[in-house]
Structure formats: C-alpha cells, structure tokens
Amino acid sequence: MANVFTIPPSANFADTLARGLIARLGDGPLALADATVYLPTRRAQRTFGDAFARVLGGAALLPRFKALGDADEDEALFEDDALILPPAMPPMRRTLLLATMVRQWHRSTKDEEMGFAQAAALADGLAQVMDEIETQGADLKKLDDAVPAALAAHWEQVREFLKLLNTEWPQILTAEQRISPALRRDQALRGLAARLAARPPKGPVIAAGSTGSIPATAALLKAIAGLPDGAVVLPGLDRVLDEASWRHLHPGHPQFGLQQLLGRLGIGRTDVKDWAATRDAGRERVLRETLRPAPTTDAWRAIAEAKQEPTIADGLRGVSLIEAGDQAEEASVIAVVLREALETPGQTATLVTPDRTLARRVAGELRRWEIEVDDSAGQPLAHTPPGTFLCLLAEAAAAQFAPVPLLALLKHPLATLGGDGTAFRDRARRLDRLLRGPRPDPGLDGIRAAIARARAGSPDDRPGLSQLHYWFADVSDALRPLEQAMAQPENTLAAILTAHTSAADTLAGDALRRGEAGEVAARFIDELAEAAAAIPPVEPRAYAPLFRKLALTQAVRLNRSGHPRVSILGPLEARLQSFDTVVLGGLNEGVWPRLPGADPWFSRPMRKALGLEQPERSIGQSAHDFAMLAAGPRVVLTRALKAQGVPAIASRWVQRLIQLTDGLGLHGALTPPTDYVALARSLDDAGPPLRIEMPRPRPPVAARPIRLPVTDIEKWVRDPYAIYARRVLGLRVLDPLDAPIGPLERGNAVHATLERFVKDYPGALPDDAALCLIAIADEVFAAEGTPQAALALWRPRFAHAATWFVAMERARRGSIKASHTEIRGETEIVPGFSLYGIADRIDELQGGGAAILDYKTGQLPTKRQIKSFLAPQLLLEAAMLTAGAFSGVETQEAAELLYVRIGGGREPGTIEPVDITLIAETLARLKTRVAQFADPATAYRPRVRPLRAGLSGDYDHLARVREWSLSGWEGTGE
C-alpha cells in the first residue's frame, strides 16, 4: 500500500495534484492521456480540468475525470462494460410510497388518522435511515437482538414498523421494478472495484479528494490503491498529530473519517506519503491545536510554558474573525470583504457556507455593485416565479380562496389569464379594494357574491363593478376544477395535481414554462405526476404543504455565468478548491456545524444494535471541511451575534480558536486589519436623522370642507389633519383584508336590532318583549353573517342586555308620544357651513320637547370630555333639532340627551344623561372653529388632542408622526 498519499490542507489541492501527476508521468502532450482521475463530485471535474490546463500551460490531452458522486450514471464509471442495474427509485416516488406506509402503520397502531403531509415529513427521515442502513451495510434483522425491555414503548412500536419495512419494502421495489438509490450506488461502486482488480487498466488510475466515508467508496479506493499504476490521494490527513490524540479521536473530529478509511484500507498513518511537500506548517499547527481532541487539550499548557506562541502567531497570520450584530449585517460584511478582494487584479474570493439564506443575502448585497454571483446550490424552485405561482395556487385552493391567498395569487406577475398582464392586475387591485373588511363566504362563489352585493349597493360604480364581475367569472372558470378537487373529503394526488396544473396553465399560459425555472417546473410536475400514480387517496388539505415541500427540493440553476473571480459555494464542493480569500460564513452552532436533529426512527441503543454510526459523525465531516477551508492563505471567519432576534452561540470551532489564542495571550490576533462591520454599516448610513417639522397643511379656503358630519366634529377637534386627509385630499382608510369581526360589527348589529325593535313595537310592549328583541337580534346576526365564534360570545351578552333594555323601555314608554330612529338631518350652522348626521333615536315626549338617545356598545365619553368640546355629538344633535334639521320631526327643544350603553356583562346596560345647558356653549364653540378654519392661515395640524397617546390615528403614517415627535403625538390626551 505504498501508493496512498495525502495533500496537506494548506496546499492548493487541485494544482498540487496536477503538478505531482505531471512530475510522475511527464509533461508531454500525450503523457496524461491514458490517466483516469476519480473525484468526489461532478463540479470538481471542471475545477481539476482547469488546474491541469493551468499547470501544463500548453496544448495537451488531459486525464479523464470521473465523479464518484455520480455513480447512478453508469457511463460515468464503467463505459462499455457497465453493470446492468435496475433504475433507481425516484426520490419523490419513494417519499410518497413511504408516506403511505407510515400512514397505514400509524392507523393500525394508534387507531387514528395521520395527516399525509405529516406522514411525508416522516417519510423523508425514513428514507435517510434506509440510505444509511444500505450505505453502511446494516441489517434490520439485528433489531431483534436489542433487548425489548430496554426500549421505551414508542421505540418498540417503531422497531416493529422497521421490521415490517424489512419485509414489505423489497416487495414494493420488485413491483416497481426499481432499486433503492443507495443500494444501486453501492453495487455500482463495488462492481467497479471488482472489475478494476480483475482487469487493471493500462493507464494510471488516481482517486483524489475522497474521504471514503461510504464503505463502498472505501472498497473502491482500496482496489485503486492496489493497482500497479493506482494511487489514492487523501485530502488533509494529519500525519503530525500526536499518537495519544490520534487514539482519542471522536466522531466529531475532522480526522475521524480518515482514521476509519485507513482502517478499511488496512494501513496506518506511517504508510501514507506526502504527494507534494508544499505546505503552511504554521497554519496547519493552529488548526491542529484548535481541533485537538478534548482529552489531550492539556497540550495547550505545554505550548504556553514552552513559549511557542510565535509559532502559533505565525500560523494565525491571514486569519481573522468578524462578529456581526445579526444575520443581515453579517451578509453585508461578507459582501464588503468579497468586494474588497476584487480590487486586487487577478484575486479570487469565495463565500463558503452551508446556510443558503446567508448565501442568498450575500448575493443580493453584491448586486449593489452590479456583481452577479453564481451560487453553486442554485435556487429552490419554490422561490422562483413559476414555483411561487404554483405554490400560491395550491395554497389559495387549500384556503378555499380566502381573500389574502387569493389576491396573492392574482397579483403574481404570471397570472394573466392569457391576456394583458397590466389589465389583469388592475382588476386584481380593484378586487382587493372590494374585499376589504370581514372575510366573505368561503369559496369562489363567496367572492362572486361579495361582488354582486357591491354592484347592488353602488349604482354609481356599476359599469366598473360589472367589468370586475365578468373578469372574476373567467377567473372562477379557470379555478373551479381545482376548487372542486380540493373540496372532496379525500382525493388522489394525481387528480388534484391534474386540476392544479390545468388551472395554472389556464391562468398563466405559456409563461409558466419559460426559462430555466419554467423548464424545471415542467419537469417537476411530470415527475410528481409519475410519482403520484396509484397512491391511495389523501386529504386534500395535505396537498399544498406537500407540493411546497417537494418544490423546495428542486434546484434551479441559471444558465449564465457570474463574476469570474467571486463565487458562493457549499463546504463539500469548496473543500478541494483554492482561493486567495475564503470567507467561512454562518459559523454558529446549529448552522455550521449543523447539529443532528432528533431521529424519529432510531434511538441511540437501536443504532448501536444495528452497528450504525452515531449522528455526531456528520459533525466530524463538517469539521474536516472546515479544517481544509480554514488553511487557505487568507481566511475570514464570520458569525452573527444574534439569529432571528435571539443570541446565537458561536461554532465550537470558533470557540476553540478563541480559547487557544486568549490562553496563549494572543489577544487581538483574530482582529481583522479593517473594521469591516463599520464599513458595512456605513453603506446604509444616511447620516444623522434630520428631524422634520410637524406638517401644517394650509389648503385654500375654497378646498376646505363646507359641510361635515356631526361624528367628525370630535375628530376635527382632536386631529384636524385627519379631516384634511379625508375631506380635502379625499383619502379613505382601507379596511384590512380578512378583518376580524369586532366592536364595529357588533355595534352596527346592535344598532340595527334596536332600530327594528322600536319600529316593530311602537306602543305598549308585549310580555315577551325581551324574547322578541333577542329574536330580532338573531335575525340581524344571521343576515350579517356573524361567525359562530363571535356569536357564541355576543348572543349571551345581548340576551342579558335585552332584559335590561326592555325594562328601561317600559319605564319610558308612558312619556313618549312618538319615536323616530335613524333620522337624517342637516342644517346650516353659519352661512356657508353645514352640519349633517344621523340620530340613533329621537323620542317626542308627551310633556313637550324631545329626548335624543345615542346607543353605545363601547366606552361612553366622560363628562369632562363632553364639557370641553371633545365629545360634542349629542349636544350638536340637540342644536340641529332646535334648528329643525331632522325631517319628519317637529322643530323643538331637546328636553333630554341620553347615552344608552348596551353592555351585557356585569352591567347589562346604563343610561348616562348629558347636561342640556351645554348646548348653547357647544354650538358657539363650533361656530368659532368654523370661523377659525375659514382663515387661510389656520393649519390642519395632526394629533392636537388625541384620545390616548398610544392610540394611533388613521392618517398618522401620512403625517409622518414618528419622524417629528419623540412620543408620536402632541398635546394632551383626554
């Protein structure tokens, strides 16, 4: 086994491999033609081809490069003598079949139904378990050797399912005429190893860069190492680590996997030679000590006592650590580092991170300098326009086309219904405005009914609403088959997918399948349709989350190259590449390394019984990637102090590095020479905030309102700017979509109920008057579509209040000559200014005069507010009555002003009288205010006397209150 070599992590792996092979075979044009080089991934083929061409510097035939990671492609490994293997089970088909099995097993053991989406999530974990079992050659039958008493009841049930899987799954594979992907790869690699051993090729065979973590790969490496012209070149084997540490390696150590591989090859570290001698011994020593096994970290004390800090300090040159405030700032910092590297001609730079969100953020930050980066991982289909559109369509149907998901779908750029996209979105925005407020009835018919009600109630806008009606009828026709498919209690995935794609094609047209993302979307749909064949019916609500989950697994790679000197890579593909500047981003626990999650299928004792590796093995693989990448000439380590608003824990490797440097007194050794955090912050720093002045709009007198509703007078006093925005600029406040049923709707229902009751029973009340009032309320609640959740609270409260109201009415009816409800009135207060409004109720009294009642379901105004002109409504209605403003009501003085509060809680209701002696004073104040705002110099200032400081107004954002007021308001709240 003299032909097993290693290239140290501090060397350029590709260039070093090329130089070593050329030194062995010569640099003639045909010297390398017969050589075959096996590499871990397909992407490495291009990298190593460039490296060989660069080292040769002239015309020559390069070696044949083949990727071990693409063993599913027979021709990549075996050429003419390929193994004849069944095709691998497609991932989506396997997920759906396993989900079906999980669901049936759960139903049989738990006597309850499991959602298909949940079963699919468990199926993903189960597929990984199956791959791991087949990769490591474990046997599920060994589970019988695990002591049942030592397992919890849950694990005992899981064990029984896995035993069932051991018998049922092979039958399914046979029926499908497929083979599991891991087993196919294993057979392919072992078949290649056997043929290489039996018929050695005439040219050199080199396996470079693989750690042999897969046993079948290790067998292939052993076969190659045994060839007369074979060689295995390992990445970053530490031949200097002391023997005590080598013996104490744990699964989380970067050398653990290579230690396992050497054992499978049947050799020791001393049997491995250096492929080339070029290395940075100082940097390698820093990493060796940083990642030293815990039982031997006492060696750090020996380093300190031996005064060997200069050696460590030399190794730290070119390494820096940047801790950003949060993830967004980390992305900005990384972009600045990469941008700086490009200032040096010929310099190359890369970001290496397993965090795809961070990668996307950095790519976005680089676009500020018009730098496009080719992210090697691509973009998930669900994040591209076609994928987003398909997911939105599925989710809108699952939500019964509720306003928010429906409008998100209809506003998507691909939604055109085969026509003009601009006109389509104009209709969608019109529908948005119409659907503001409480949610309409579910389904497409509920939306059409809402449009019909708007047409009936808006004769002035009937042409526009008619256009909206016919447009949405076409939209409904496109979406109806999907709605019907999703409305079934159970349906097949194939049927739902057919309706889904049909609706998508009708709504988006050919644009759905254009470009790279469209091609991936079309292929994804075809594969999903094939995978969904013969899957038993599922609950339709599971379709949308399942579709999005599967779409997230499909990568879309754009067919355009990014900047030639900057890239974003994952750790695996970057491990064998070399760059002048390497940024290792996202170095927080849970991100890098990614901590192994809870395994729903195997407990640790079960893994041990099967001979499977523990989950920490993946941390060791990540540690090896980190050690290889951190050995570059310039390395910038970055992390965010906070992630999603909470403090984040630094990666264990960063913690080790900080402990080592601080322990040796090398404070500041990891500080970068440039304050990149400050630079990143300066990019978006607009300088000291300029405090703006409070807006004081002074529109021309001709543009100012000459009539106001009585309910707006309080607003005019408290927030004149709101009157300016509403009555001068004509800006209406939009209700939110899917607005919850709340106090406003309850108040309207109570008003309508009391109005009907007074009209239906004008004279003496019957004995069952309270029941009659409750019956009217039930009819009103039903007519307004009050949800059952709100009705369960409102109805008992109103029933309690109804008894009190009827008793109050009986006590007052003897003094009432006639009652008028919801009476409109208008009068001119001063020449050129009118006041109008609707009185809830006016009772003409037997003894002369009238009582004005105002129904309230919320808080009543205080006497202080009424006296200080902050709640003038009832007093101004009294002035209007005196002026004969209300049609059908005789001109007369107000004898009573009453607030009637309908509660229903501890106090079913209360009556609060208003001092009628304040009528003249209130009217005078209104006239004064009218005269004041008739002056063009008077401004409509915002938030003069808000009800509460913390209560925002409808137009505060327009007035930019937070920009000119520290507290967000001005004046005294009352």
Side-chain angles (χ1 to χ4, degrees), residues 637-654:
L637 313 175
T638 69
R639 63 175 293 258
L641 294 173
K642 286 188 175 181
Q644 298 178 351
V646 299
I649 300 173
S651 169
R652 60 193 65 191
W653 310 316
V654 172

Side-chain angles (χ1 to χ4, degrees), residues 738-953:
D738 271 352
I741 301 292
L744 177 61
E745 288 73 27
R746 178 172 179 265
N748 291 338
V750 169
H751 276 68
T753 299
L754 298 181
E755 177 190 2
R756 276 188 53 185
F757 179 77
V758 173
K759 287 182 176 179
D760 291 351
Y761 301 95
L765 297 177
D767 294 338
D768 61 346
L771 295 177
C772 296
L773 179 56
I774 294 171
I776 293 173
D778 289 340
E779 294 175 8
V780 172
F781 288 147
E784 295 189 357
T786 305
Q788 291 297 322
L791 196 60
L793 178 64
W794 292 359
R795 193 179 185 281
R797 291 173 61 88
F798 184 81
H800 189 203
T803 303
W804 171 86
F805 182 81
V806 168
M808 183 269 293
E809 280 291 292
R810 282 200 173 98
R812 295 188 71 253
R813 284 293 172 98
S815 62
I816 297 174
K817 181 170 59 176
S819 293
H820 309 272
T821 58
E822 299 295 320
I823 302 299
R824 296 179 179 273
E826 182 169 356
T827 186
E828 192 174 57
I829 299 299
V830 297
F833 185 88
S834 299
L835 187 68
Y836 66 93
I838 301 174
D840 288 347
R841 178 175 168 182
I842 299 177
D843 291 340
E844 296 186 66
L845 304 178
Q846 297 285 2
I852 302 179
L853 283 70
D854 189 41
Y855 299 132
K856 294 288 187 184
T857 55
Q859 193 69 31
L860 297 180
T862 65
K863 292 181 179 180
R864 179 183 176 187
Q865 290 170 345
I866 294 171
K867 186 173 182 180
S868 59
F869 197 51
L870 291 174
Q873 179 179 340
L874 263 182
L875 294 167
L876 291 177
E877 287 179 1
M880 293 171 65
L881 177 65
T882 303
F886 296 103
S887 59
V889 182
E890 295 181 3
T891 302
Q892 54 192 305
E893 298 290 335
E896 283 185 308
L897 300 177
L898 303 174
Y899 280 113
V900 180
R901 181 176 179 274
I902 307 299
R906 291 184 178 179
E907 288 189 349
T910 56
I911 297 179
E912 291 291 339
V914 175
D915 186 358
I916 61 175
T917 63
L918 297 174
I919 296 174
E921 178 185 348
T922 300
L923 183 60
R925 286 193 176 194
L926 176 59
K927 291 179 178 179
T928 300
R929 194 162 192 82
V930 171
Q932 179 184 3
F933 278 83
D935 182 352
T938 302
Y940 287 83
R941 295 186 300 144
R943 296 183 69 87
V944 175
R945 301 184 72 179
L947 181 63
R948 288 193 302 273
L951 185 65
S952 59

Side-chain angles (χ1 to χ4, degrees), residues 14-167:
D15 285 6
T16 303
L17 180 72
R19 290 191 182 95
L21 190 58
I22 292 169
R24 287 165 172 78
L25 301 180
D27 58 357
L30 302 178
L32 303 176
D34 291 334
T36 302
V37 180
Y38 288 101
L39 299 168
T41 63
R42 180 177 289 277
R43 187 180 180 91
Q45 294 178 245
R46 186 179 65 185
T47 300
F48 280 71
D50 294 343
F52 272 81
R54 185 170 55 251
V55 172
L56 285 168
L61 291 178
L62 298 181
R64 289 173 295 173
F65 296 104
K66 298 183 179 181
L68 295 175
D70 294 327
D72 57 325
E73 298 183 23
D74 291 345
E75 67 276 10
L77 288 175
F78 312 122
E79 298 177 349
D80 296 333
D81 59 344
L83 280 176
I84 300 176
L85 296 174
M89 175 72 77
M92 279 189 283
R93 178 66 173 173
R94 181 169 68 162
T95 295
L96 297 182
L97 288 171
L98 288 175
T100 302
M101 288 186 63
V102 170
R103 200 177 186 209
Q104 291 173 348
W105 165 72
H106 185 272
R107 184 186 299 145
S108 64
T109 58
K110 301 289 186 180
D111 196 24
E112 61 184 22
E113 195 69 34
M114 173 186 283
F116 193 81
Q118 182 184 359
L122 289 172
D124 286 339
L126 183 58
Q128 294 175 7
V129 165
M130 294 171 61
D131 287 343
E132 188 176 3
I133 289 172
E134 292 171 344
T135 295
Q136 299 184 29
D139 186 358
L140 283 175
K141 294 179 181 178
K142 291 183 179 180
L143 280 178
D144 291 333
D145 299 333
V147 181
L151 297 177
H154 163 72
W155 294 115
E156 181 62 27
Q157 292 175 354
V158 169
R159 189 183 74 161
E160 293 303 316
F161 171 74
L162 293 174
K163 290 170 62 178
L164 176 67
L165 183 67
N166 198 33
T167 58

Side-chain angles (χ1 to χ4, degrees), residues 712 715 720-733 955:
D712 269 8
K715 187 176 295 183
Y721 188 90
I723 298 299
Y724 164 75
R726 175 68 184 91
R727 303 296 173 181
V728 178
L729 300 182
L731 301 176
R732 300 181 64 88
V733 177
Y955 300 96

Side-chain angles (χ1 to χ4, degrees), residues 241-255:
L241 183 65
D242 60 275
E243 194 61 30
S245 296
W246 183 259
R247 289 195 305 269
H248 286 91
L249 293 182
H250 55 84
H253 193 276
Q255 294 294 310

